[in-house]
Amino acid sequence: MFVTLFNHYWWLLFPLSFAVFSVMRAVLKDDESRRILSLIRSYTDQGKEPPAELLALLKR
């Protein structure tokens, strides 16, 4: 039964893998944004101006 399903629907592996990779990319991008915001927050808590490079990373 599994072989029959695989033979008929093997092409679904491509869209499903693209969807999984898109979700992983979005999660990693969100994690990066959260880490950058946390770092900027630590600068502002100390009363310092965050570096322009951090702000540029957040804008992209």
Side-chain angles (χ1 to χ4, degrees):
M1 176 156 174
F2 179 74
V3 174
T4 306
L5 279 174
F6 182 77
N7 284 338
H8 288 181
Y9 300 108
W10 63 268
W11 55 271
L12 282 175
L13 291 174
F14 295 105
L16 288 174
S17 63
F18 288 134
V20 167
F21 286 128
S22 296
V23 168
M24 285 175 46
R25 192 169 130 206
V27 167
L28 290 174
K29 190 170 183 83
D30 182 58
D31 184 50
E32 180 186 21
S33 296
R34 287 180 191 269
R35 284 187 286 130
I36 291 171
L37 281 174
S38 174
L39 192 55
I40 290 173
R41 190 174 296 122
S42 70
Y43 271 103
T44 57
D45 287 345
Q46 295 173 7
K48 298 179 182 178
E49 185 71 25
E53 292 84 12
L54 279 178
L55 298 175
L57 282 175
L58 194 59
K59 287 182 183 178
R60 71 176 168 107

